[in-house]
Amino acid sequence: MATTNSLVIAPQWIGDAVMTEPLMRRLANRGERLTVGALPWVAPVYRAMPHVAEVIEFPFAHGGLQFKARHGLARQLAGRFDTAYICPNSLKSALLPFLASIPKRVGYLGEARVGLLTHRLKNPPKGKRPPMVAFYSALSGEADIAGDQPQLQVDCTEIEPALAAMGLRRGAYHVFAPGAEYGPAKRWPATHFAELARRLDLPVVLLGSAKEFELCEQIAASVNAEQPGKCLNFAGKTSLAHAFIAIAATKSIVSNDSGLMHVAAAFGVKQVAIFGSSSPLHTPPLNPQANVLWLKNDPAYQPALDCAPCFERECPLGHTRCLVDITPGRVVEALNHFQIS
């Protein structure tokens, strides 16, 4: 039987990329050779998926159609693939497979791209969308996708050298991921992260993008002033591949609803995931080791959070009660749950 060569157009966010892993597994298990086209900051996610044979880093920037660049790359890819799976809903993401004349092009309807797709899935209404993992897995055309859970792997031979380069020992530190690209309504307060770090017995590694360096430095500086060397700020200072290894080898991780939360879930590490303006019903950390804190579904929390989830970048009411009222002590209790369970 001839191998089917498939191109997957990846989402542009790390968390979404992680959530496509079950789709990759399904496609590979039925004999498709997978090449993933991804933006540079997302590409390392697919290198942690054993079912992906090749990763092409796209030379595209945020925004704009960039037709000339897409057309040039399409000419290089023409004739290589039988099928394309387009994960994002944008018109520009479907343009490359169309220009490359890939015979079968699978994706969701959206952004007037009907003519660019040959196999079209209807976009569920916003109020009835399934969890994002199932949303992506549906592109496979297979049933029984509700139980899909992402899994990532790192090369075992790379773990100890990477930890040594960062000055870390496996299981002898905690990871904090205090950022959330979407906006402040998804970020637990920096002061709370700092207080949590003070209460923990092990060192804390702070991870995030270069944009989150100042946020992480605010936490680290506050803690290190009292407990020198307690916090190590690697935000923007280490590769995403090394950040993955730091997460895979940590004792536990505390994060907001962010890309690194999904990375931790896919590695199966002990994690506390803090939700505010978003919902764990839509983008949960699919990990039996995850402990989710969300005041919306806490019957003991009063007055009830009728405003959540608002899915806004900034709190429309100005109080961000959904995050502020999750105390560092509550997170300590969630972490201690792992030690006694």
Side-chain angles (χ1 to χ4, degrees):
M1 185 184 226
T3 300
T4 298
N5 290 303
S6 299
L7 175 68
V8 179
I9 305 296
Q12 64 177 352
W13 303 109
I14 289 172
D16 282 78
V18 172
M19 289 187 279
T20 66
E21 189 278 333
L23 170 65
M24 306 298 135
R25 211 177 332 138
R26 286 178 175 275
L27 299 178
N29 285 344
R30 66 192 193 196
E32 299 185 35
R33 183 188 185 278
L34 301 180
T35 297
V36 174
L39 294 167
W41 55 87
V42 170
V45 177
Y46 292 96
R47 295 190 179 104
M49 297 183 189
H51 299 294
V52 173
E54 181 184 359
V55 179
I56 298 173
E57 293 194 15
F58 285 161
F60 310 135
H62 266 309
L65 203 56
Q66 301 164 77
F67 183 86
K68 186 176 179 181
R70 291 179 197 278
H71 188 264
L73 183 55
R75 288 171 62 186
Q76 297 175 40
L77 299 180
R80 283 190 55 187
F81 301 103
D82 308 292
T83 305
Y85 300 92
I86 299 106
C87 294
N89 280 343
S90 63
L91 183 145
K92 63 184 179 182
S93 62
L95 192 57
L96 180 67
F98 174 78
L99 293 172
S101 300
I102 298 173
K104 182 179 178 181
R105 303 182 297 276
V106 183
Y108 282 95
L109 287 169
E111 276 203 11
R113 61 186 197 167
V114 174
L116 302 182
L117 303 172
T118 62
H119 293 67
R120 309 171 191 94
L121 284 71
K122 288 185 178 179
N123 247 310
K126 279 194 175 179
K128 296 183 179 179
R129 278 197 173 183
M132 286 304 294
V133 170
F135 180 78
Y136 289 127
S137 289
L139 291 171
S140 69
E142 297 178 0
D144 301 321
I145 56 177
D148 282 4
Q149 294 190 9
Q151 299 171 16
L152 296 179
Q153 295 179 30
V154 290
D155 187 335
C156 292
T157 63
E158 296 178 2
I159 294 176
E160 294 306 329
L163 291 177
M166 291 183 280
L168 303 175
R169 289 187 299 109
R170 189 194 294 258
Y173 58 92
H174 299 280
V175 166
F176 288 0
E181 185 79 18
Y182 187 71
K186 288 178 74 172
R187 297 184 200 129
W188 199 46
T191 52
H192 285 20
F193 271 110
E195 179 56 30
L196 177 62
R198 292 186 189 98
R199 296 190 186 194
L200 299 178
D201 293 334
L202 295 174
V204 171
V205 171
L206 295 157
L207 295 177
S209 68
K211 293 179 185 176
E212 291 154 352
F213 175 81
E214 292 300 331
L215 169 64
C216 291
E217 191 59 25
Q218 179 185 345
I219 297 166
S222 172
V223 176
N224 290 340
E226 302 170 20
Q227 302 175 43
K230 181 70 177 288
C231 287
L232 304 171
N233 182 6
F234 285 117
K237 290 183 174 182
T238 190
S239 68
L240 190 57
H242 274 200
F244 282 7
I245 288 173
I247 290 171
T250 188
K251 181 175 183 180
S252 70
I253 179 172
V254 178
S255 75
N256 302 309
D257 173 19
S258 66
L260 293 184
M261 176 196 78
H262 292 291
V263 169
F267 281 124
V269 302
K270 293 175 180 177
Q271 65 181 137
V272 175
I274 301 170
F275 280 75
S277 64
S278 58
S279 167
L281 303 178
H282 183 55
T283 54
L286 295 172
N287 175 12
Q289 298 262 55
N291 197 333
V292 172
L293 298 182
W294 193 41
L295 292 179
K296 172 69 175 183
N297 65 356
D298 183 352
Y301 180 73
Q302 297 295 328
L305 278 172
D306 296 331
C307 55
C310 67
F311 297 106
E312 298 290 341
R313 293 179 185 272
E314 298 191 23
C315 178
L317 303 177
H319 54 59
T320 323
R321 203 159 48 94
C322 58
L323 291 168
V324 172
D325 288 353
I326 298 175
T327 64
R330 179 84 177 267
V331 179
V332 169
E333 289 175 8
L335 290 171
N336 286 340
H337 167 79
F338 295 129
Q339 297 175 25
I340 61 176
S341 60

